Amino acid sequence: MNKQPESSIQKIAVHQLEPGMYVLSVRTKGKTVSVKSEGYVSSKESILKLIKAGITHLTIDASRQKQVDKIRPEVKEKKTQNESKKSGNGISLDQEMAKASKLYDDAKKLQHKMLSSLSEHKTINVVEAKESTDAIVDSIFRNQDALACMTRLRIKDEYLVEHSLNVAILMTLFAKHLAFDREIIEQLALGAFLHDIGKVLVPPEILHKTGKLTAQEFTVMKSHVDLGMEVLKESADLSELVIEVVQQHHERLDGKGYPKQLNDQQITQHGRMIAIVDSYDAMTAERVYKAGMHPIKAFNLLMKDAPNSYDKVLVEQFVNCLGIYPIGTLVKLTSGKLGLISRLNKSKPLLPFVRVFYNTRLNQAIAMKELDLSQAKYKDQIDCCIKPDEFNINLLSFFKAAFYN
């Protein structure tokens, strides 16, 4: 075997790995492990498998890098038209929507109850929380689009409650997309549901301040992670994985996060995932003092901050998971019609399914209809994402009409 020139041998972090690179060895949590068979990384799926296995760094031979299409073509899974309308165990979006809506409302009530209990008694009922998140996971496995829709409906004065719930839903979608085991997904969902529990112990004048926090106030705000940890460590029913999610949701790969300023080698895959999901939902949330940004802008900001703050490979996978236009997003078409994204089109992400219900040129509601923008007969395309208040629309009522009666 020919010895590689020293200049071509490089050590890289896993988020820098790209299809076509030639891997010599891998390292997990500071320990170098020889690969069974050194060779080329053929796809992004292969990179995800390495991340899932806990690999943090690799040694590559840069001189042997190839174009991906010269290694092997990607095999795309074919789905029948009927299958594309369903998710999980074959339950349609319309069938699952009513259940998902009740689950969402019940989980919000539970969040309110938990926050009140924590304020008064400094304790929470973890069993109830687990029952709620297990039900969320069940719904997502039946049809993942239903609860994904619910995350797009926000009430400005319920940010803390809805944020934790939405992060639990998005974390479940993300983990399912990465093909995690069901047991792990349930723990990640619970950790996400509880990740901001310590905020209720932050003084309300700081927690609800509409202006910019002073340096001293921000220090107090950052204490919510440790405050939450103190509460959760009192419960013997929580796994280390749940605690890990809560502890690492504000850590960043460049070591500039908090509370422990962990670096990229110390932050687990689950910590990297919750950081992405938590930031995305915070960016897109509607608050009394701040308008939420459109998903596309949030995706762009996450990509801009990768790989310094966020894991680049995982950000890309998160975007693939939700779609460029996430389910439930309100859009205006080039024809002037308004609609909600009802289904993704994995092969043509810019041309999803849209349920239209309003014509802005006529300023009136129209008969509900689902358009598959990838079909030639529909000459419409998405012009832009919009917000309901731009057209004085009660999005909740149209949402109910679009997805369940």
Side-chain angles (χ1 to χ4, degrees):
M1 183 175 175
N2 294 330
K3 189 176 181 181
Q4 298 94 343
E6 286 295 326
S7 59
S8 69
I9 308 303
Q10 300 175 10
K11 290 182 180 179
I12 63 169
V14 71
H15 63 72
Q16 296 174 292
L17 189 63
E18 295 178 0
M21 288 183 171
Y22 192 88
V23 177
L24 298 172
S25 66
V26 299
R27 194 168 73 209
T28 172
K29 294 180 180 177
K31 224 163 76 176
T32 300
V33 180
S34 297
V35 289
K36 291 180 181 177
S37 175
E38 65 180 55
Y40 291 102
V41 176
S42 58
S43 65
K44 289 196 173 181
E45 286 71 23
S46 301
I47 298 174
L48 282 173
K49 287 179 181 177
L50 291 171
I51 294 173
K52 192 173 178 181
I55 304 305
T56 58
H57 290 73
L58 310 95
T59 303
I60 64 166
D61 182 358
S63 68
R64 300 169 74 173
Q65 185 166 347
K66 291 184 178 181
Q67 293 296 317
V68 179
D69 57 8
K70 291 181 181 178
I71 300 172
R72 69 167 177 86
E74 289 293 325
V75 178
K76 293 188 176 178
E77 184 180 345
K78 294 183 179 179
K79 291 186 178 180
T80 65
Q81 185 176 3
N82 190 46
E83 284 176 323
S84 68
K85 293 181 180 180
K86 297 180 179 180
S87 171
N89 296 324
I91 303 299
S92 72
L93 175 62
D94 300 85
Q95 287 174 309
E96 184 61 26
M97 188 54 71
K99 293 179 183 177
S101 179
K102 185 177 186 310
L103 269 176
Y104 195 86
D105 289 342
D106 288 345
K108 279 177 63 174
K109 290 174 185 174
L110 177 58
Q111 278 279 352
H112 280 296
K113 179 181 173 182
M114 286 170 52
L115 295 179
S116 297
S117 175
L118 189 55
S119 298
E120 295 172 16
H121 311 295
K122 302 294 185 286
T123 60
I124 58 170
N125 189 327
V126 171
V127 174
E128 285 186 329
K130 188 175 189 317
E131 288 173 354
S132 182
T133 54
D134 283 354
I136 286 170
V137 174
D138 286 339
S139 175
I140 287 172
F141 270 81
R142 287 193 298 266
N143 185 299
Q144 64 183 40
D145 295 339
L147 278 172
C149 283
M150 300 306 299
T151 66
R152 302 295 300 146
L153 297 174
R154 297 179 180 276
I155 300 173
K156 290 183 179 180
D157 60 356
E158 292 202 335
Y159 170 72
L160 184 57
V161 169
E162 291 189 341
H163 173 65
S164 294
L165 175 52
N166 289 345
V167 170
I169 292 169
L170 294 170
M171 190 70 165
T172 303
L173 292 169
F174 195 12
K176 181 174 179 287
H177 174 77
L178 296 177
F180 281 21
D181 293 337
R182 176 67 176 260
E183 184 182 351
I184 299 297
I185 294 175
E186 290 175 355
Q187 292 181 63
L188 292 174
L190 180 57
F193 192 70
L194 300 172
H195 82 284
D196 262 349
I197 201 75
K199 278 191 175 176
V200 76
L201 300 176
V202 172
E205 63 272 16
I206 293 178
L207 183 63
H208 302 299
K209 184 177 178 179
T210 56
K212 186 177 180 181
L213 297 176
T214 65
Q216 186 176 3
E217 288 170 335
F218 186 52
T219 298
V220 175
M221 178 65 85
K222 289 192 293 185
S223 71
H224 79 271
V225 179
D226 287 331
L227 291 171
M229 291 292 295
E230 288 174 17
V231 171
L232 298 180
K233 281 180 177 177
E234 294 297 316
S235 174
D237 301 321
L238 293 177
S239 68
E240 289 184 8
L241 178 51
V242 172
I243 297 295
E244 179 184 297
V245 168
V246 177
Q247 192 172 43
Q248 295 190 14
H249 74 275
H250 278 298
E251 298 292 353
R252 298 295 181 260
L253 300 185
D254 56 8
K256 295 181 180 179
Y258 63 86
K260 295 187 180 300
Q261 292 83 48
L262 302 180
N263 60 39
D264 63 336
Q265 294 187 51
Q266 297 170 309
I267 301 173
T268 66
Q269 183 190 18
H270 308 123
R272 294 163 187 243
M273 290 170 65
I274 189 67
I276 293 166
V277 175
D278 176 53
S279 297
Y280 168 80
D281 190 75
M283 290 176 192
T284 55
E286 292 287 336
R287 308 190 208 184
V288 174
Y289 58 89
K290 180 188 81 68
M293 63 180 66
H294 294 302
I296 292 176
K297 184 175 180 181
F299 291 149
N300 284 333
L301 287 177
L302 288 170
M303 286 301 298
K304 181 182 177 183
D305 287 340
N308 292 330
S309 296
Y310 306 104
D311 188 303
K312 184 179 179 182
V313 173
L314 287 175
V315 171
E316 290 173 349
Q317 285 300 317
F318 184 63
V319 176
N320 289 339
C321 169
L322 294 189
I324 296 174
Y325 299 103
I327 300 290
T329 300
L330 186 62
V331 295
K332 181 163 78 77
L333 305 181
T334 51
S335 65
K337 294 175 182 174
L338 299 187
L340 289 162
I341 303 297
S342 55
R343 278 188 277 156
L344 303 182
N345 186 335
K346 293 294 185 182
S347 60
K348 296 179 180 178
L350 294 174
L351 300 171
F353 292 76
V354 182
R355 293 194 187 187
V356 294
F357 56 79
Y358 194 86
N359 190 317
T360 60
R361 293 176 183 173
L362 301 175
N363 289 320
Q364 66 182 34
I366 57 176
M368 188 80 62
K369 183 179 182 181
E370 184 173 71
L371 310 181
D372 176 357
L373 298 185
S374 67
Q375 290 189 15
K377 65 179 179 178
Y378 298 121
K379 300 192 183 298
D380 255 347
Q381 290 186 341
I382 293 175
D383 179 34
C384 61
C385 297
I386 62 169
K387 294 179 187 277
D389 53 10
E390 292 177 41
F391 291 92
N392 196 27
I393 288 173
N394 182 338
L395 182 58
L396 184 58
S397 64
F398 279 109
F399 181 91
K400 288 181 176 178
F403 294 112
Y404 59 102
N405 297 312

